[in-house]
Amino acid sequence: MKRLLLSIAVALAFAVPMRAADSSEAVIASLVTQAPGLRPAVLRLALAAATRAEDSGLIPNRNLLTVIDYSLPSSQPRLFIFDLAKHKLLFRELVAHGKSSGGNIANFFSNSPGSLATSLGLFVTADTYNGGNGYSLRLRGLEEGVNDMAWDRAIVLHGASYVSQEAVKVLGRLGRSWGCPAVRPEVSQQIIDTIRGGSPVFAYYPDQSWLSTSAFLKQVKQVGGVVANALR
């Protein structure tokens, strides 16, 4: 009993809003090992933000998590999709950012209509449709002033021919979207059908203003070093 109470006390002291199965360092280490390029600190932030949103009833699908690390260059895989129930990486893919967000490395993000820039923060996937970019997945931004204009801006996940290794060979980077997270056409439908219907998408960059004010990361800031490590 003493051992159990001690475990509970330690968990409460850290106060990280993650499900017990997904909060263990062993599980995080396992997921990161499957996802070269993704840092543990970024995954912790994503798990914490998604769980806080789940607890608020904003995330219907609790088994999946998509992490996009925009601090990585577009020429490297930086979209990671996990099955949290099975502790398994499903996709590790290239993903484009908006034209106004930068070249190979993104450094500008916006929530404004017409900005042609990528938005940060936590999103939830919605429904699909066929439009100008083919089969696409609508994203609903959950962070006021950060990404809550995503729906009005038509920020969606879609396939694009400019997302390819060939583009990287020719341009030194991927082509760029109008703010959408575009992926390879060969995998776009599979990705969309996997994460559609209410799963979380966490778009990360070490932006201190967002990290320090995000409603979904408030409790994480109590954990020593997590945000500091994510800023490196």
Side-chain angles (χ1 to χ4, degrees):
M1 177 62 74
K2 286 183 179 180
R3 202 172 278 180
L4 174 61
L5 292 175
L6 178 60
S7 298
I8 294 172
V10 170
L12 290 174
F14 278 87
V16 181
M18 299 182 194
R19 297 289 182 271
D22 295 325
S23 62
S24 74
E25 288 302 307
V27 171
I28 291 173
S30 173
L31 293 175
V32 168
T33 299
Q34 299 174 56
L38 181 62
R39 287 166 292 159
V42 174
L43 180 56
R44 288 189 194 100
L45 291 173
L47 285 165
T51 303
R52 189 172 179 87
E54 290 168 10
D55 291 342
S56 299
L58 299 173
I59 304 290
N61 188 339
R62 301 184 174 204
N63 291 331
L64 297 172
L65 175 65
T66 300
V67 183
I68 304 175
D69 186 352
Y70 286 117
S71 70
L72 299 175
S74 71
S75 53
Q76 296 180 15
R78 54 182 181 171
L79 180 147
F80 309 90
I81 300 175
F82 298 98
D83 183 327
L84 298 179
K86 296 180 179 178
H87 301 162
K88 181 180 179 181
L89 175 73
L90 301 179
F91 297 93
R92 175 178 175 263
E93 283 290 329
L94 297 168
V95 61
H97 54 252
K99 293 177 69 173
S100 298
S101 287
N104 190 30
I105 298 177
N107 54 24
F108 173 75
F109 303 89
S110 177
N111 190 38
S112 299
S115 66
L116 304 185
T118 291
S119 296
L120 298 176
L122 187 66
F123 301 78
V124 61
T125 63
D127 59 332
T128 62
Y129 69 97
N130 281 288
N133 290 304
Y135 190 53
S136 303
L137 176 63
R138 290 186 176 92
L139 301 174
R140 188 179 299 278
L142 299 178
E143 304 206 37
E144 184 177 358
V146 176
N147 62 20
D148 60 337
M149 293 298 294
W151 195 273
D152 294 338
R153 294 178 61 201
I155 299 302
V156 301
L157 192 149
H158 63 81
S161 60
Y162 51 76
V163 181
S164 67
Q165 288 294 347
E166 286 303 311
V168 173
K169 290 177 183 177
V170 173
L171 301 173
R173 59 169 173 78
L174 296 182
R176 294 167 295 177
S177 68
W178 284 13
C180 297
V183 297
R184 292 188 302 126
E186 296 87 348
V187 297
S188 61
Q189 182 168 348
Q190 188 179 1
I191 287 176
I192 289 171
D193 286 341
T194 298
I195 68 174
R196 62 184 292 183
S199 71
V201 176
F202 184 76
Y204 169 81
Y205 184 81
D207 181 280
Q208 295 191 42
S209 176
W210 164 61
L211 287 171
S212 63
T213 60
S214 172
F216 296 104
L217 297 175
K218 283 182 178 178
Q219 292 185 9
V220 182
K221 288 179 288 185
Q222 304 303 317
V223 182
V226 173
V227 172
N229 288 337
L231 287 169
R232 291 175 184 170

